[in-house]
Amino acid sequence: MEKTVKIEEYNPDWVSEFHQEKARILEVLKNDSPCVEHIGSTSFMGVGGKIKMWFHEM
């Protein structure tokens, strides 16, 4: 089965949406001292991207 990947036009709200999600994650995981970074296509101003959230434990 072929999967379709949708690329969204750049949205300046992605920056504030990231900071909102980061605050929620840090609140839940505050005892674990997590590092939360905004990386990938949605972190580049003016570039379209895939609207996906990935979590990676380091």
Side-chain angles (χ1 to χ4, degrees):
M1 181 184 340
E2 193 172 313
K3 292 185 179 183
T4 301
V5 176
K6 185 176 180 182
I7 304 295
E8 300 280 338
E9 291 291 325
Y10 178 75
N11 182 342
D13 293 337
W14 288 341
V15 176
S16 62
E17 290 172 9
F18 162 73
H19 288 290
Q20 291 171 358
E21 291 300 318
K22 178 179 178 176
R24 293 176 60 202
I25 292 167
L26 292 175
E27 180 61 30
V28 171
L29 300 175
K30 59 187 168 194
N31 294 332
D32 296 324
S33 301
C35 176
V36 180
E37 300 291 338
H38 188 189
I39 63 172
S41 56
T42 61
S43 66
F44 294 96
M45 187 178 296
V47 176
K50 297 180 285 185
I51 310 301
K52 292 280 186 187
M53 185 176 289
W54 302 90
F55 295 94
H56 179 71
E57 184 178 346
M58 308 235 358

